[in-house]
Amino acid sequence: MRKLEIGTSVRGRKIMAYRVGDPTAKVKAVVLGAIHGNEKAGITVARAIRKADRKKNGERGRIKDVDLWVVPTINPDGVVKNRRQNARNVDLNRNWGVKWAPLSSPYYSGKRAWSEPETRAFRKFLKQVDPRFVVSFHQPLHGVGTTDKRPAFVKRLARQLGLPIKPFNCTGQCHGTMTDWVNGRLKGTAVTVEFGSRPRGKYLRNRAVRGTIRAVLGRLP
Ligand SMILES: [Zn+2]
């Protein structure tokens, strides 16, 4: 399966995942372009990764050594409106069932953990794939977030992407985040990557693509 509908948003928009690379590779990874609808740089990277995987004859699989799932966004309603939250005003990166707490706008965390279809869909997908690496793109803090789980992965990402390592503290509201859920509940390691406020398109389509693929132990000829 090269393309999978992993769920639908509050407004009924499809949430899609695209499989690139080598489906038989031992290392599985997931790249999430955008969880916040007004942070679109990662969607550009996601699109460019899919393009980089395409061979001249249109066949897929140019990326080697990694079984890579690309999810452009789990927040299609937010992307359409160019806003951080989903259609019910929930910050989808505060709605996960790890240290969930009631938070108010702009970090409104929903009525309860898992209240939103987008977070439930991505949880199910992540459990199914059970990836070793998850890369979650954001803006604009310019850096790669720390994690205790696989520091070598963080270092690799930072070096490959040319970004500094920073201890992001969820803007002081570290509750119910996707990366904490992955790191606490799955075997894999999730890392936050923050591009700047206006990263150059050339950087996103070239270095960010190669760097992300290399950091998840893939290879692009
Ligand atoms: Zn964000």
Side-chain angles (χ1 to χ4, degrees), residues 35-36 39 84 137-139 194:
I35 192 167
H36 293 139
E39 299 169 7
R84 178 181 178 91
F137 289 124
H138 291 259
Q139 284 173 270
E194 293 257 3

Side-chain angles (χ1 to χ4, degrees), residues 91-109:
D91 183 337
L92 296 177
N93 203 29
R94 300 292 184 275
N95 187 239
W96 294 65
V98 166
K99 289 188 285 168
W100 182 88
L103 303 172
S104 51
S105 179
Y107 308 112
Y108 175 53
S109 50

Side-chain angles (χ1 to χ4, degrees), residues 6-207:
I6 65 176
T8 48
S9 68
V10 168
R11 293 273 180 264
R13 292 190 173 90
K14 290 176 180 176
I15 299 169
M16 300 301 301
Y18 302 92
R19 193 177 201 174
V20 301
D22 177 1
T24 68
K26 251 194 245 164
V27 178
K28 293 178 190 300
V30 171
V31 169
L32 174 58
I35 192 167
H36 293 139
N38 58 345
E39 299 169 7
K40 296 197 172 77
I43 299 179
T44 301
V45 180
R47 191 182 302 123
I49 290 175
R50 290 177 60 206
K51 197 175 164 198
D53 187 60
R54 214 174 290 144
K55 295 176 180 171
K56 276 194 182 136
N57 62 8
E59 197 183 305
R60 297 254 163 204
R62 233 177 124 239
I63 297 168
K64 303 293 180 199
D65 298 341
V66 66
D67 178 14
L68 181 58
W69 287 90
V70 177
V71 179
T73 184
I74 65 161
N75 187 9
D77 297 345
V79 168
V80 163
K81 292 261 162 109
N82 195 35
R83 49 184 239 159
R84 178 181 178 91
Q85 304 85 354
N86 77 349
R88 285 200 287 242
N89 222 17
V90 176
D91 183 337
L92 296 177
N93 203 29
R94 300 292 184 275
N95 187 239
W96 294 65
V98 166
K99 289 188 285 168
W100 182 88
L103 303 172
S104 51
S105 179
Y107 308 112
Y108 175 53
S109 50
K111 284 188 174 159
R112 68 193 89 83
W114 309 119
S115 59
E116 304 310 299
E118 295 92 344
T119 41
R120 292 196 301 271
F122 199 44
R123 170 182 63 177
K124 185 178 164 201
F125 169 77
L126 287 169
K127 280 182 174 173
Q128 274 171 6
V129 175
D130 196 19
R132 188 187 301 182
F133 305 116
V134 178
V135 179
S136 181
F137 289 124
H138 291 259
Q139 284 173 270
L141 302 176
H142 189 76
V144 175
T146 49
T147 152
D148 306 330
K149 218 169 168 185
R150 281 191 179 89
F153 173 44
V154 173
K155 272 189 198 161
R156 213 156 55 230
L157 258 176
R159 193 178 61 239
Q160 291 290 348
L161 297 176
L163 293 169
I165 295 174
K166 288 182 184 174
F168 295 132
N169 198 18
C170 319
T171 334
Q173 306 275 357
C174 230
H175 297 281
T177 66
M178 187 273 286
T179 49
D180 275 355
W181 181 82
V182 170
N183 291 332
R185 302 291 160 85
L186 299 182
K187 292 195 292 284
T189 303
V191 171
T192 296
V193 171
E194 293 257 3
F195 295 117
S197 53
R198 293 180 65 191
R200 292 171 59 189
K202 197 179 156 196
Y203 166 83
L204 295 176
R205 283 185 294 269
N206 293 284
R207 183 163 186 183

